[in-house]
Amino acid sequence: MRRLIYTTLLLLATASLAMGQEARDKNILAALRHGWNFELRAGLSMGGTAPIPMPREIRGVEKYNPKLNVHVEGQATKWFDPHWGLVMGLRMEQKGMVTGARVKNYHTSLLLGEGAEMSGNWTGYVESNYAAASIVLPISAAYKINDYGKVQAGLYAGYRFDGSFTGHVTDGHFRMGSPVGERVDFPADKQATYDFSGELSRFEAGMQVGGSWRAYRHFLVYGELRASFTPIFPGSFTALTTKLYPIYVSTGFSYLF
């Protein structure tokens, strides 16, 4: 993902130089006269995929690693008056986390010896590792507070082109088929794994709300909350009975052309 981001930034810089400084300035000034401005954003996101509401099977979270999730985004804003505008963008983003929790009678599917997959209920420690890379199309309404600050809120739709969801369980026991099925014990030195990467949904839709502040003439700082309406697995996926929704807070810097 980082290689893709660096390549994108290099292509943007090369295209900008090819246009020529004079022609580029004329195009930007012409756009500004018609109520448009443009931003190039880069930043980090922190958060995770969470069940809503929290199921009673999850008894406690013991580990959380939000990872370094990078995103880059180009934005175009059309201002209709001194305060109100419409923001459209194109974003490439990375999402991910590692979590560890204690659960009781948590329904899942595990790989038990020689690749045999069994469904049932797990009681003990479970650790999950989630990662996704997506292309996102956001659209928001913007309100300019003054020459320095603005807030915006809207919706987004994304397409995931890469991702994984893997993990393991240990220090507990597994009941095959149901909470009263055959019991298989896993002491702290024994693990069973799972891999649901091939079941992840390709599409995501959600809402976003945030704001930015102009620190210098062309440089801004921004923050944004992004929450998905759609879970990371489709409704047909039954290996997990809980629905997991991506919720992330993003912050970074923006260059205003």
Side-chain angles (χ1 to χ4, degrees):
M1 181 60 187
R2 291 183 179 178
R3 183 178 298 176
L4 177 61
I5 292 170
Y6 296 151
T7 302
T8 303
L9 293 174
L10 179 61
L11 290 174
L12 287 172
T14 303
S16 178
L17 292 173
M19 288 174 62
Q21 185 68 37
E22 183 177 353
R24 185 184 64 178
D25 290 346
K26 287 182 179 179
N27 290 336
I28 293 174
L29 289 173
L32 291 175
R33 285 195 295 268
H34 289 86
W36 288 89
N37 62 29
F38 306 94
E39 294 181 37
L40 181 62
R41 291 181 162 193
L44 300 174
S45 299
M46 291 183 60
T49 57
I52 302 175
M54 185 69 72
R56 63 183 181 180
E57 291 86 353
I58 299 178
R59 299 305 174 93
V61 177
E62 296 186 356
K63 179 180 181 179
Y64 171 66
N65 178 0
K67 297 186 178 182
L68 285 176
N69 302 306
V70 181
H71 63 268
V72 292
E73 179 178 353
Q75 283 192 354
T77 304
K78 170 62 176 178
W79 295 102
F80 300 103
D81 63 33
H83 292 288
W84 290 99
L86 182 67
V87 184
M88 295 160 285
L90 177 65
R91 180 169 69 240
M92 290 190 298
E93 67 181 19
Q94 184 178 17
K95 295 178 180 177
M97 65 163 193
V98 178
T99 58
R102 287 282 168 181
V103 301
K104 183 176 181 179
N105 287 330
Y106 187 76
H107 180 78
T108 188
S109 294
L110 300 177
L111 296 174
L112 302 177
E114 298 182 357
E117 183 174 314
M118 297 292 294
S119 295
N121 292 71
W122 170 257
T123 297
Y125 180 78
V126 56
E127 184 168 305
S128 299
N129 189 335
Y130 170 66
S134 305
I135 297 177
V136 182
L137 296 173
I139 183 168
S140 300
Y143 180 78
K144 185 185 294 183
I145 301 171
N146 51 39
D147 289 339
Y148 296 95
K150 70 175 180 181
V151 293
Q152 57 192 65
L155 305 173
Y156 69 83
Y159 175 79
R160 180 188 59 81
F161 58 84
D162 192 17
S164 63
F165 191 98
T166 60
H168 70 269
V169 300
T170 189
D171 193 16
H173 65 269
F174 185 65
R175 294 281 189 177
M176 295 187 180
S178 71
V180 295
E182 180 184 351
R183 174 170 170 159
V184 180
D185 290 317
F186 287 84
D189 60 348
K190 183 180 179 181
Q191 294 184 357
T193 63
Y194 57 87
D195 186 347
F196 303 138
S197 304
E199 305 294 336
L200 288 169
S201 296
R202 287 288 181 182
F203 295 96
E204 180 185 340
M207 58 82 66
Q208 56 189 27
V209 58
S212 63
W213 183 261
R214 184 182 296 189
Y216 299 98
R217 181 178 179 183
H218 291 285
F219 287 94
L220 298 83
V221 293
Y222 66 88
E224 197 164 61
L225 170 66
R226 301 165 185 163
S228 176
F229 300 147
T230 56
I232 63 173
F233 294 109
S236 58
F237 179 70
T238 59
L240 296 178
T241 55
T242 56
K243 296 185 181 297
L244 303 173
Y245 297 86
I247 303 172
Y248 284 81
V249 174
S250 300
T251 185
F253 297 93
S254 177
Y255 183 83
L256 179 65
F257 290 90

